[in-house]
Amino acid sequence: MKTMCVPVSFPQTHLVLGHKTRTGMGSDAKDLIPVLRQAVGRNGRIKRVLADAGYDSHENHRVAREEMGIRSLIPATAGKPSSKSATSKYRRQMKR
């Protein structure tokens, strides 16, 4: 079983405001937005989300930034390695 949690960005408390548990293999990317919505519903003061590359997707960056006003910091390393630059403006920012 796999668990995904979003902690508050206050490092002193590590208070978990949202989570999703599921079984099986697959990308974690689809879990980020529902958990962020859960966390914002409990504490509307979330300013940024830090996540590993498993949560990288254009949609996650777009929804977090444009719809929720949360700065997303997710390495843009999902997918096959390539010499081409990322096509999404938010994913290009993560490559810098």
Side-chain angles (χ1 to χ4, degrees):
M1 189 167 298
K2 218 174 167 174
T3 304
M4 186 272 202
C5 297
V6 177
V8 175
S9 57
F10 306 122
Q12 306 89 327
T13 63
H14 298 285
L15 178 65
V16 175
L17 293 175
H19 75 281
K20 179 173 177 116
T21 304
R22 64 178 168 85
T23 60
M25 302 294 290
S27 172
D28 295 331
K30 64 182 179 236
D31 297 330
L32 184 65
I33 296 305
V35 174
L36 272 180
R37 290 191 196 286
Q38 215 180 38
V40 168
R42 292 187 178 135
N43 178 335
R45 298 178 299 156
I46 297 173
K47 294 180 183 175
R48 70 186 64 87
V49 60
L50 304 170
D52 66 35
Y55 300 100
D56 176 41
S57 77
H58 168 75
E59 191 65 5
N60 283 346
H61 287 288
R62 188 194 67 75
V63 171
R65 290 173 179 232
E66 294 176 11
E67 293 181 20
M68 304 170 97
I70 298 172
R71 182 167 182 214
S72 56
L73 300 168
I74 307 168
T77 56
K80 293 181 183 179
S82 173
S83 59
K84 296 179 183 177
S85 63
T87 56
S88 158
K89 74 176 184 178
Y90 298 123
R91 293 189 75 230
R92 278 194 305 273
Q93 289 174 3
M94 294 299 109
K95 284 283 193 182
R96 290 188 210 168

